[in-house]
Each structure stands twice: as C-alpha cells, then as structure tokens.
C-alpha cells in the first residue's frame, strides 16, 4: 500500500498521489514533470535569494507550472510555488515540514496546499503553493510580524506571544477572530516542539475584500528532530520558553482576552488531536526512528496540557 505524498492517506495500488490531491495542489490530475536536480538547486537558490520576494534561512526556489501544467519551471519572478529541498546540514526536513503542516491542518489551522515531490535525481523536496498569489496573477499584500512590530529582520527573535497578540489587536480587521487563530498556532507550534516560530513566520495578509487577516500557516516543523537540544520556544509566552503547561496556556489566553471557556476548549482540541496525529505521524515519510521520536514529543507535550 502506498501513501499519498500530498495528503498522507493510502492510495489505491502503488500510486504516489491521489488524483484529487494533485488537482488541489497543481490544478491538473497528473504530476508535472520535474527536470530540476538537487545539486543544481542549491546554486539556483543562492542566485535567487537576492531577487525573490521571499527570503528565509533555508534554501528555496520559486517555481511555476508551464502553461499546459505538464512541467515545473524555475520562476525568479511570478512563481506560484515555493520549493524547499533538503538542506545539506539537516536530513529529512522536507518530510518533517510536510508532516508538521498536515498535523496543523488536522487541528484546524488554515494551511495553503502543499506536498512532497521528487526531484530529477530522486531527492525529496517540499513544495507549497503561495497564498499571496491569486489564479489571475493578482498579488495580495502581506506583512510579516517582524515588519508589523517595526523591527529589523535580524530582530526576528526579539518578540513574544504577547507582542503577536498586540500586533493583531492593532492591525487585524477582526482581532477577536484572528487572536484565537494565533493562539491555536502558537499552542500547536509548541506542541510539536517547533523552536523556530519567530516573528517572520507569522504574517497578516490583505484579502481581496480589503480585510487584514492572519495568513495561512507556513514554515512549521519539529525542530527538535534535527536539533535534539532544541526545546525552547523562539518567542516566549508569558515569559517562558520551556516547561510550558496548561496553567501557562490559560494565562496566555487571559492576556489575549480569550474567555476561559473558549481557551479550555482550544486546549482540549489540541489534546484530542493526539490520537489522530499519532496515525498521521505513522503514515508520514519520516524514517521509523524519527517517527518514534516525534510520537514521544507530542505525547509528552499533550501530558503537560492535561
Ligand atoms: N505559502 C507561502 N505563500 C507565500 N509566502 C510564503 C509562503 N511560505 C513562505 N512564504 C514567505 O517566504 C518566507 C520564507 O519561507 P519559509 O517557509 O519561512 O522559509 P525558511 O525556512 O527559510 O524560513 C516566509 O517568511 C514568508 O514570508
Ligand atoms: Mg521562515
Ligand atoms: Zn492524497
């Protein structure tokens, strides 16, 4: 039985993708041809870094589909997808990000379409559709929380959960709704031991109706797998980066002015996500050893929430 490289559910026979999943990610029911090789990608990524509107630490390239959607093309400008190959320093990051983003979806966090693809030399890469480009090419305005907090890029770690809440209070069109979404994202990110959720990994975007709302989640991964010593949150919550538990999350919810009953429900939803998450971890493309570590991490963090 094969597992779909997009949704992580079983496919019929030995197929790598469900047709429906291909349609939702690429707009066509067959996988576009990939002529790009990992060894060429790193050079391309470095070359593109200055030209692309997206930046970040990990190597990445901007992609689009050919007009007939039959193959991927490198697209320094007007790319509709972002491709993140496996960096040389850390193994299995594409599989880790893919799984973590699926787990986020499972708890009801909004995510863009994404999946895993094989490069020409069989290396696995993570691909995500851009949430800031519409089908007709329109570009939505996006501001990350580092910009909104009026901080230079190098200060992306100089923030806190509370700062993110204040940013939404100030800029979101419907702060009450957006703050609950943010609470869910920060809670989830801690739950999967993501130590790299800094200010540039949250954004606000302006919808076509002119409303400022939280952008879908991106760049979520369990950093504790590649860096076992990495337990601490990049942004503290109620002054703490580690050893967070139920009491602290309720305090943070109080700061965010989320009524206690609603906060208890949000925490309960994260606890209830444990069992289905364990099944998704099992189905993922991580090697067995890392699956087992991932399961231990979410079990342990779930205990701290009870
Ligand atoms: N799906 C997406 N749509 C639009 N912009 C995105 C998307 N994913 C990431 N970005 C932008 O690209 C930047 C880098 O991507 P990210 O996944 O955070 O890479 P890195 O691991 O290098 O930090 C992000 O800070 C964000 O501004
Ligand atoms: Mg990032
Ligand atoms: Zn699928």
């Amino acid at each position: 039985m094969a597992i779909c490289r997009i949704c992580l559910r079983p496919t019929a026979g030995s197929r790598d993708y469900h047709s429906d999943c291909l349609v939702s990610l690429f707009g066509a029911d067959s996988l576009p041809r990939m002529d790009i090789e990992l060894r060429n990608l790193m050079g391309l990524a470095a070359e593109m870094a200055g030209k692309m509107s997206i930046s970040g630490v990990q190597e990445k390239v901007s992609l689009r589909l050919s007009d007939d959607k039959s193959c991927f093309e490198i697209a320094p400008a007007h790319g509709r997808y972002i491709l993140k190959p496996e960096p040389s320093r850390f193994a299995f990051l594409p599989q880790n990000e893919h799984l973590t983003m699926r787990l986020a979806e499972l708890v009801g966090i909004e995510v863009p379409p994404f999946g895993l693809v094989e490069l020409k030399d069989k290396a696995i890469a993570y691909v995500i559709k851009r949430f800031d480009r519409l089908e007709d090419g329109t570009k939505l305005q996006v501001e990350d929380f580092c910009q909104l907090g009026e901080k230079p890029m190098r200060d992306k770690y100089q923030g806190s959960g509370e700062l993110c809440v204040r940013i939404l209070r100030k800029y979101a069109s419907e702060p009450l709704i957006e703050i609950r979404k943010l609470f869910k994202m920060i809670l989830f990110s801690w739950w999967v031991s993501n130590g790299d959720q800094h200010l540039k990994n949250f954004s606000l975007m302006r919808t076509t109706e002119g409303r400022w709302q939280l952008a879908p989640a991106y760049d979520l991964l369990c950093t504790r797998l590649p860096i076992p010593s990495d337990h601490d949150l990049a942004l503290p919550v109620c002054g703490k980066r580690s050893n967070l538990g139920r009491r602290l999350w309720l305090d943070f919810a109080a700061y965010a002015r989320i009524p206690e009953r609603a906060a208890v429900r949000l925490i309960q939803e994260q606890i209830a996500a444990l069992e289905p998450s364990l099944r998704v971890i099992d189905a993922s493309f991580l090697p067995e050893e890392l699956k087992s570590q991932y399961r231990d991490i979410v079990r342990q963090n779930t205990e701290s929430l009870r």
Side-chain angles (χ1 to χ4, degrees), residues 54-58 60 82 84 112 128-132 200-201 218-219:
I54 42 166
S55 54
V57 183
Q58 221 185 301
K60 61 186 78 61
I82 299 170
K84 296 168 89 172
I128 184 164
K129 193 167 184 188
R130 297 192 63 144
F131 53 74
D132 57 346
K200 293 197 79 64
N201 283 336
Y218 55 87
D219 205 14

Side-chain angles (χ1 to χ4, degrees), residues 9 100-111 114 188:
R9 294 194 185 99
T100 308
M101 292 286 289
R102 277 290 158 242
L103 297 179
E105 180 183 46
L106 195 145
V107 293
I109 292 170
E110 193 194 340
V111 294
F114 61 90
F188 171 79

Side-chain angles (χ1 to χ4, degrees), residues 10-295:
T11 60
S14 57
R15 299 191 51 201
D16 291 326
Y17 298 91
H18 294 115
S19 303
D20 289 354
C21 290
L22 286 170
V23 171
S24 66
L25 181 54
F26 300 121
D29 64 4
S30 59
L31 183 70
R33 199 177 70 245
M34 175 67 81
D35 291 328
I36 307 164
E37 298 182 6
L38 181 64
R39 54 198 165 115
N40 301 336
L41 260 188
M42 295 308 180
L44 274 171
E47 222 175 90
M48 259 192 210
K51 298 181 199 141
M52 258 196 327
S53 54
I54 42 166
S55 54
V57 183
Q58 221 185 301
E59 292 85 358
K60 61 186 78 61
V61 289
S62 172
L63 288 187
R64 65 163 178 243
L65 292 176
S66 58
D67 287 338
D68 63 359
K69 298 189 190 285
S70 69
C71 66
F72 292 105
E73 295 173 348
I74 301 281
H78 309 297
R80 301 292 301 279
Y81 298 88
I82 299 170
L83 180 83
K84 296 168 89 172
E86 180 170 275
S88 40
R89 288 175 305 151
F90 300 115
F92 303 110
L93 278 204
Q95 294 88 338
N96 183 338
E97 186 161 356
H98 178 243
L99 164 61
T100 308
M101 292 286 289
R102 277 290 158 242
L103 297 179
E105 180 183 46
L106 195 145
V107 293
I109 292 170
E110 193 194 340
V111 294
F114 61 90
L116 293 176
V117 292
E118 213 170 68
L119 303 179
K120 199 180 175 190
D121 47 7
K122 304 285 177 206
I124 295 290
Y126 171 80
V127 60
I128 184 164
K129 193 167 184 188
R130 297 192 63 144
F131 53 74
D132 57 346
R133 301 284 160 87
L134 302 184
E135 297 307 321
D136 64 1
T138 313
K139 168 114 178 51
L140 301 179
Q141 198 182 339
V142 177
E143 305 284 348
D144 69 52
F145 280 28
C146 202
Q147 296 166 312
L148 295 171
E150 295 175 38
K151 290 175 188 291
M153 191 141 91
R154 62 169 186 279
D155 286 347
K156 64 187 181 186
Y157 293 105
Q158 309 300 315
S160 62
E162 288 86 339
L163 175 66
C164 295
V165 169
R166 291 196 297 275
I167 287 174
L168 288 180
R169 257 185 214 140
K170 186 164 170 191
Y171 295 109
S173 299
E174 293 194 69
L176 291 182
I177 294 175
E178 305 306 322
I179 287 171
R180 283 193 197 194
K181 288 196 227 163
L182 175 86
F183 181 87
K184 232 175 154 143
M185 277 188 190
I186 298 181
L187 175 65
F188 171 79
S189 199
W190 160 81
W191 188 73
V192 293
S193 283
N194 179 7
D196 202 38
Q197 186 71 327
H198 51 67
L199 293 173
K200 293 197 79 64
N201 283 336
F202 295 100
S203 294
L204 267 189
M205 69 174 189
R206 190 172 179 271
T207 65
T208 38
E209 297 82 41
R211 314 186 64 76
W212 282 98
Q213 61 182 46
L214 258 184
Y218 55 87
D219 205 14
L220 294 173
L221 69 170
C222 171
T223 56
R224 204 159 152 187
L225 294 184
I227 316 170
S229 62
D230 195 350
H231 302 211
D232 292 0
L233 289 180
L235 303 178
V237 173
C238 297
K240 289 188 79 168
R241 293 179 192 273
S242 57
N243 300 318
L244 284 78
R246 186 180 184 88
R247 185 65 255 161
L248 186 125
W249 287 106
L250 289 171
D251 288 348
F252 181 50
Y255 178 89
R257 298 182 205 146
I258 297 173
E260 182 156 342
R261 273 181 56 193
V264 166
R265 201 178 56 237
L266 290 168
I267 292 172
Q268 200 48 47
E269 282 168 11
Q270 189 60 69
I271 293 173
L274 176 64
E275 290 305 321
S277 294
L278 294 175
R279 290 193 286 274
V280 178
I281 293 170
D282 257 344
S284 78
F285 291 95
L286 285 174
E288 289 305 323
E289 172 59 23
L290 294 185
K291 285 183 190 176
S292 157
Q293 290 175 24
Y294 209 131
R295 282 194 295 263

Side-chain angles (χ1 to χ4, degrees), residues 4 6-7 18 21:
C4 174
I6 294 175
C7 71
H18 294 115
C21 290

